[in-house]
């Protein structure tokens, strides 16, 4: 199962890089979201995909599932949601001001006169 999750995370990374290399600001933002999802999946996979008892003190001490990867991923999801929301607001404001989401037109091309 870990091999499948690593392949899916690699596909998410590849799609994220493809989207982040485009000229559209919205595609760049979607690419950063996909990159963060791929990172979350990779962290979860590296933490282990085993099933076990809940991490409460009791009789099944050998079969506990480690809660640290899930806690880290939950925190990372909240942070990436906030960052994506800020990116979307900035992109919307830039679109309102400039009328385009093309990065070349936003940058302003220098002309040699």
């Amino acid at each position: 199962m870990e091999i499948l999750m690593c392949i899916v995370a690699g596909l998410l990374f590849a799609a994220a890089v493809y989207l982040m290399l485009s000229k559209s600001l919205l595609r760049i933002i979607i690419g950063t979201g996909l990159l963060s999802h791929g990172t979350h999946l990779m962290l979860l996979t590296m933490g282990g995909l085993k099933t076990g008892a809940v991490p409460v003190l009791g009789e099944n001490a050998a079969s506990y599932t480690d809660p640290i990867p899930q806690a880290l991923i939950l925190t990372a999801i909240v942070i990436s949601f906030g960052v994506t929301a800020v990116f979307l607001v900035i992109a919307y404001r830039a679109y309102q001001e400039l009328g385009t989401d093309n990065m070349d037109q936003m940058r302003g091309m220098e002309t040699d006169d």
Side-chain angles (χ1 to χ4, degrees), residues 67-80:
I68 298 297
Q70 287 88 4
L72 289 174
I73 291 168
L74 183 61
T75 305
I77 287 170
V78 171
I79 291 170
S80 68

Side-chain angles (χ1 to χ4, degrees), residues 23-27 29 86-103 105-107:
K23 294 181 181 181
S24 173
L25 189 59
L26 188 59
R27 286 184 180 199
I29 294 170
V86 169
F87 282 166
L88 286 172
V89 168
I90 292 172
Y92 180 67
R93 182 69 179 145
Y95 181 76
Q96 279 184 333
E97 287 293 319
L98 302 173
T100 184
D101 71 338
N102 190 340
M103 292 301 288
Q105 293 174 356
M106 288 175 136
R107 184 178 308 132

Side-chain angles (χ1 to χ4, degrees), residues 29-109:
I29 294 170
I30 293 171
T32 57
L34 281 179
L35 187 68
S36 69
H37 286 309
T39 305
H40 300 155
L41 187 61
M42 188 60 75
L43 282 173
L44 185 64
T45 304
M46 292 294 111
L49 296 176
K50 64 178 185 174
T51 59
V54 294
V56 179
L57 294 177
E59 302 153 2
N60 302 349
S63 65
Y64 285 157
T65 303
D66 188 18
I68 298 297
Q70 287 88 4
L72 289 174
I73 291 168
L74 183 61
T75 305
I77 287 170
V78 171
I79 291 170
S80 68
F81 176 71
V83 169
T84 303
V86 169
F87 282 166
L88 286 172
V89 168
I90 292 172
Y92 180 67
R93 182 69 179 145
Y95 181 76
Q96 279 184 333
E97 287 293 319
L98 302 173
T100 184
D101 71 338
N102 190 340
M103 292 301 288
D104 286 340
Q105 293 174 356
M106 288 175 136
R107 184 178 308 132
M109 304 302 281

